[in-house]
């Protein structure tokens, strides 16, 4: 019997930093989690032949062409997993590690079945990043009349009313600085700083205590802690909603990236 076969179409690829930072796929200053999916199709795309593996490629060049012997193109194969026993949806994930923070990379994937590899996806631009260091050299000083005039040329308030109740805060963008035991090791974290959050309080920041939560993991049988057998694996996310507090300086609902 002759079986008509066709290679699978390009899979769907997701990365945590494209097109905007998401919470589904984790990332760090030197790693990116890539997930991919190849649905089983009965039409001319794959003729119902399920995907059995993926080829993941990443490069510092959008063309994915070698750079005259300089390491700029990498790839690895990932065996497909399936959402059900019928193999209708092939899925996979790969944590790309040993990347350079802030460097622009391009990721693409190819799906494979018994007919061979299909066409690659469009390349996805990604950049490993992390949260930035604090602003560099913050300075708190008194306002001057000249500076005040430039800020409020027609405020209608007397200089003394504003000068007596205001302070000028200035700073420089985050930078890498490990001198004098400073912990500033990532600078802007690999991505340009888009905004700053300014906080002030009548209470010393040392008076605030961090909150620690204990997370209890359980196996599929419901056992946890010392009663759990086997190896627990996976990831979790942390969510916070400050919109219910009227006095919160930053109001909104936020969820972290997946934490392994």
């Amino acid at each position: 019997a002759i079986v008509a076969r066709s290679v699978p179409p390009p899979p769907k690829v997701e990365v945590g930093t494209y097109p905007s930072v998401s919470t589904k796929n984790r990332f760090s200053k030197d790693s990116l989690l890539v997930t991919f999916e190849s649905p089983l199709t009965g039409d001319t795309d794959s003729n119902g032949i399920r995907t059995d593996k993926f080829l993941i490629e990443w490069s510092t060049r959008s063309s994915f062409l070698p750079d005259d012997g300089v390491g700029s193109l990498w790839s690895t194969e990932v065996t497909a997993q399936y959402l059900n026993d019928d193999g209708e949806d092939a899925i996979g994930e790969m944590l790309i590690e040993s990347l350079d923070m802030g460097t622009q990379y391009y990721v693409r994937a190819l799906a494979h079945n018994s007919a061979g590899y299909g066409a690659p996806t469009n390349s996805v631009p990604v950049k490993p990043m992390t949260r930035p260091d604090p602003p560099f050299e913050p300075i708190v000083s008194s306002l001057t009349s000249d500076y005040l005039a430039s800020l409020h040329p027609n405020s209608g308030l007397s200089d003394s009313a504003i000068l007596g109740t205001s302070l000028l805060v200035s700073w420089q963008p985050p930078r890498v600085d490990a001198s004098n035991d400073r912990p500033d090791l990532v600078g802007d974290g690999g991505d340009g700083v888009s905004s700053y959050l300014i906080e002030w309080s009548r209470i010393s920041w040392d008076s605030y205590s961090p909150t620690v939560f204990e997370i209890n993991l359980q196996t599929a049988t419901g056992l946890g802690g010392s009663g759990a057998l086997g190896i627990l694996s996976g990831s979790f996310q942390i969510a916070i909603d400050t919109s219910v507090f009227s006095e919160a300086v930053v109001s909104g609902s936020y969820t972290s990236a997946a934490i392994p």
Side-chain angles (χ1 to χ4, degrees):
I2 298 177
V3 178
R5 296 181 298 172
S6 179
V7 296
K12 178 183 177 182
V13 176
E14 292 188 7
V15 186
T17 61
Y18 179 84
S20 59
V21 174
S22 70
T23 59
K24 180 179 179 181
N25 292 357
R26 68 181 185 270
F27 56 90
S28 71
K29 63 182 178 65
D30 55 11
S31 67
L32 293 162
L33 179 65
V34 183
T35 56
F36 27 90
E37 178 180 355
S38 178
L40 182 66
T41 57
D43 53 21
T44 56
D45 282 341
S46 63
N47 204 28
I49 307 299
R50 74 178 188 174
T51 296
D52 56 5
K53 61 182 177 180
F54 299 90
L55 178 66
I56 310 304
E57 298 180 322
W58 62 101
S59 174
T60 54
R61 299 165 62 90
S62 59
S63 64
F64 283 82
L65 296 176
D67 187 11
D68 299 329
V70 179
S72 60
L73 176 61
W74 305 266
S75 64
T76 191
E77 286 188 337
V78 177
T79 302
Q81 301 180 10
Y82 304 98
L83 293 178
N84 53 52
D85 295 336
D86 297 330
E88 293 183 355
D89 289 297
I91 60 174
E93 66 177 38
M94 178 185 174
L95 183 63
I96 303 177
E97 300 180 282
S98 300
L99 303 175
D100 293 326
M101 183 183 70
T103 298
Q104 182 74 72
Y105 292 89
Y106 300 88
V107 177
R108 68 182 184 182
L110 299 82
H112 179 279
N113 62 16
S114 59
Y117 274 109
T121 61
N122 293 328
S123 63
V124 177
V126 296
K127 185 186 298 183
M129 65 181 72
T130 187
R131 64 180 184 179
D133 287 324
F136 190 73
E137 293 185 343
I139 299 175
V140 179
S141 58
S142 300
L143 288 178
T144 65
S145 299
D146 292 340
Y147 189 82
L148 178 61
S150 66
L151 293 179
H152 305 281
N154 299 302
S155 65
L157 297 175
S158 66
D159 288 356
S160 59
I162 300 178
L163 292 174
T165 58
S166 305
L167 290 172
L168 176 63
V169 183
S170 60
W171 61 88
Q172 298 183 40
R175 67 176 67 173
V176 175
D177 179 21
S179 62
N180 299 321
D181 296 324
R182 289 180 60 88
D184 298 346
L185 303 179
V186 297
D188 63 7
D191 194 34
V193 175
S194 58
S195 61
Y196 294 92
L197 174 65
I198 312 301
E199 296 179 318
W200 59 96
S201 173
R202 293 188 176 93
I203 303 174
S204 170
W205 299 113
D206 295 334
S207 301
Y208 291 91
S209 301
T211 301
V212 179
F213 292 93
E214 179 178 342
I215 299 176
N216 183 28
L217 301 179
Q218 294 184 341
T219 63
T221 61
L223 296 176
S226 61
L229 299 177
I231 298 176
L232 295 174
S233 63
S235 61
F236 65 94
Q237 294 175 291
I238 298 177
I240 183 172
D241 186 356
T242 60
S243 61
V244 297
F245 300 103
S246 59
E247 298 181 356
V249 176
V250 179
S251 179
S253 178
Y254 308 93
T255 305
S256 73
I259 302 172

